[in-house]
Amino acid sequence: MESTPPFALPPRMDTGVPGLNIVLRGGLFPGGMYLITGPSGTGKTILGNQMCFQQVASGGAAVYVTLLAESHARMLTHIGSLSFFRADQVAQRITYVSGFGELETGGLQGLLKSLRTIVLERKATILVLDGVTTASRLAQSPLDFRKFLRELQVLIEVVGCTALLIANEENRPEIPIENTIVDGIISLSDERHGLRAVRELDVVKLRGSDYLRGRHFYDINRDGIRVYPRVETLLAHRAAPSVDPDDRLGTGVPGLDELMGGGLPANSSTLVYGRSGAGKTTFGMQYLVEGLRRGETVLCAGIESSTTMALTGRRLYPEFDAAVADGRATLLWWEPVEYYLEGLAEELFHHVRRSRPRRIFIDGLGTLMAGAVYQDRLPTFLASIYDELMRCGATLVTSLQELDGGNFPKATALPPVAHNLILLTEEEAGHELRRQLWVRHMRNSGCDTQGRRYLIEDSGLRVDAAQRGLRGES
């Protein structure tokens, strides 16, 4: 029987905050001391209480100590509407006390004595000290405050209690003493991007563990705090799926598969680009319907409207509603309001891992891209999304509306992650609107890049493979 390594790390403590355990690579360590810092209004008190109630739900006990913070009555009123709050646990398993009196009369040592007594009496597994900035400012010297933190650290290590120090960091350019002593630092912020306000969480330090570095978005809703780990850090360094180069998926568009050597390569991503009305949505739904006819599971996601996707699906495939009802087809629609990309990705991955679709169509990629807070992260974000979907066995088609009015956009203007590019163009010839389809490129595959005329009929798009376009590729 193998012996336990002498310096093995203890099991992690569940924070009870969706997404935060992922950022922390499993949670916090029992017996550790962690600093939660940020300006007023960023949710520090909610985060501390949410972790306390999680500990109680897991069979532990919590002590929440305030120093010149809001009254306990006001605090409980504010968190009382959140789903994690349990009124019957207050004073039973969660103890709220004010430590300012002990701090004011006995200094840091008086506060430490009070903390030692209540932690031992309540057999606390988590201690929250809300307002540690007040303690640092009332300390006689930086050395006294450092000694206080060291003695508090010894206490929690001995009893196996995790300590959260909550500090209100308003305009403090210096590095606080507690930053160098604590085992981890979680920084909360509320940033302005134009008219939009976004909340961001950053794990600055975490002893004994790696973690997902950088900023991650978070929300405060009726369930408390929810963290959205940044996709490109969460999915980094994943092995690529093995691909059979001869495995092709028919598009369902008559005359097109021949131009692409038999269809779209399996586990690839294809971008369909064109102006509004060029048939991008019809193309994508036609691709999914072809999969349904072949007995495959499919998924369609969009930001604009699910109505258009559903109507197009019914027009192309009378049994489309039945396919949705029995789970062979999934329609996923996001409202065009302010959102975090990670939230959309999380929901998409949930449905993909549940239904394991062979084909995926994402309609309106441009609208999704426009909703990004940081536009410069889009290439790595999209690459991570595409790779994960293909790793799940899907072959992906996305649509993007024409950006600049030109028929042939520069490569730098398009997402760099698409393996294959199909352009749908239109031009007026007298009184006739002539549509042309161009297979601009396919990765690791030959294709006919000459433009072909196409029609949009009740049955969908149809390419006239014999009728070449009026102008060559530019």
Side-chain angles (χ1 to χ4, degrees), residues 16-56:
V17 180
L20 182 55
N21 289 342
I22 297 175
V23 173
L24 298 172
R25 297 291 195 187
L28 302 177
F29 291 109
M33 187 160 66
Y34 300 93
L35 178 66
I36 300 174
T37 180
S40 299
T42 51
K44 302 183 298 297
T45 297
I46 293 177
L47 183 58
N49 276 283
Q50 196 166 343
M51 291 193 196
C52 285
F53 278 93
Q54 171 61 31
Q55 272 295 288
V56 169

Side-chain angles (χ1 to χ4, degrees), residues 131-311:
V132 71
T133 308
T134 300
S136 68
R137 288 173 176 167
L138 293 181
Q140 293 184 355
S141 69
L143 178 59
D144 284 343
F145 186 58
R146 182 183 291 272
K147 288 174 61 179
F148 164 76
L149 292 179
R150 287 297 189 194
E151 292 180 44
L152 178 60
Q153 197 168 46
V154 171
L155 168 65
I156 63 174
E157 286 178 356
V158 170
V159 300
C161 174
T162 303
L164 305 179
L165 311 180
I166 297 181
N168 190 35
E169 298 293 325
E170 303 275 10
N171 301 319
R172 292 183 64 190
E174 76 279 6
I175 299 177
I177 295 172
E178 58 265 29
N179 286 19
T180 64
I181 297 177
V182 296
D183 298 302
I185 302 172
I186 300 174
S187 175
L188 306 181
S189 63
D190 195 346
E191 306 293 338
R192 296 295 187 272
H193 296 270
L195 298 177
R196 188 174 181 183
V198 297
R199 293 186 169 98
E200 297 175 353
L201 177 146
D202 188 4
V203 177
V204 181
K205 170 184 177 182
L206 188 64
R207 285 185 181 141
S209 173
D210 66 338
Y211 52 92
L212 299 185
R213 300 188 62 191
R215 296 182 177 183
H216 308 273
F217 297 115
Y218 72 96
D219 263 337
I220 301 177
N221 53 42
R222 67 171 304 275
D223 296 321
I225 288 180
R226 181 184 185 88
V227 180
Y228 299 96
R230 213 166 68 256
V231 165
E232 52 268 40
T233 62
L234 181 61
L235 300 178
H237 312 302
R238 300 280 297 276
S242 58
V243 178
D244 180 359
D246 296 325
D247 188 5
R248 300 278 178 148
L249 277 71
T251 62
V253 178
L256 176 58
D257 292 351
E258 293 85 347
L259 305 180
M260 299 188 299
L264 299 177
N267 292 103
S268 69
S269 59
T270 301
L271 179 67
V272 181
Y273 178 86
R275 67 180 58 176
S276 178
K280 302 183 298 298
T281 300
T282 300
F283 181 101
M285 296 304 296
Q286 208 166 336
Y287 164 71
L288 297 186
V289 164
E290 177 67 14
L292 291 174
R293 292 193 176 108
R294 294 171 180 259
E296 299 169 352
T297 304
V298 305
L299 181 146
C300 180
I303 292 182
E304 299 291 346
S305 173
S306 61
T307 303
T308 301
M309 295 184 292
L311 289 175

Side-chain angles (χ1 to χ4, degrees), residues 10-21:
R12 303 291 186 109
M13 184 194 84
D14 183 2
T15 64
V17 180
L20 182 55
N21 289 342

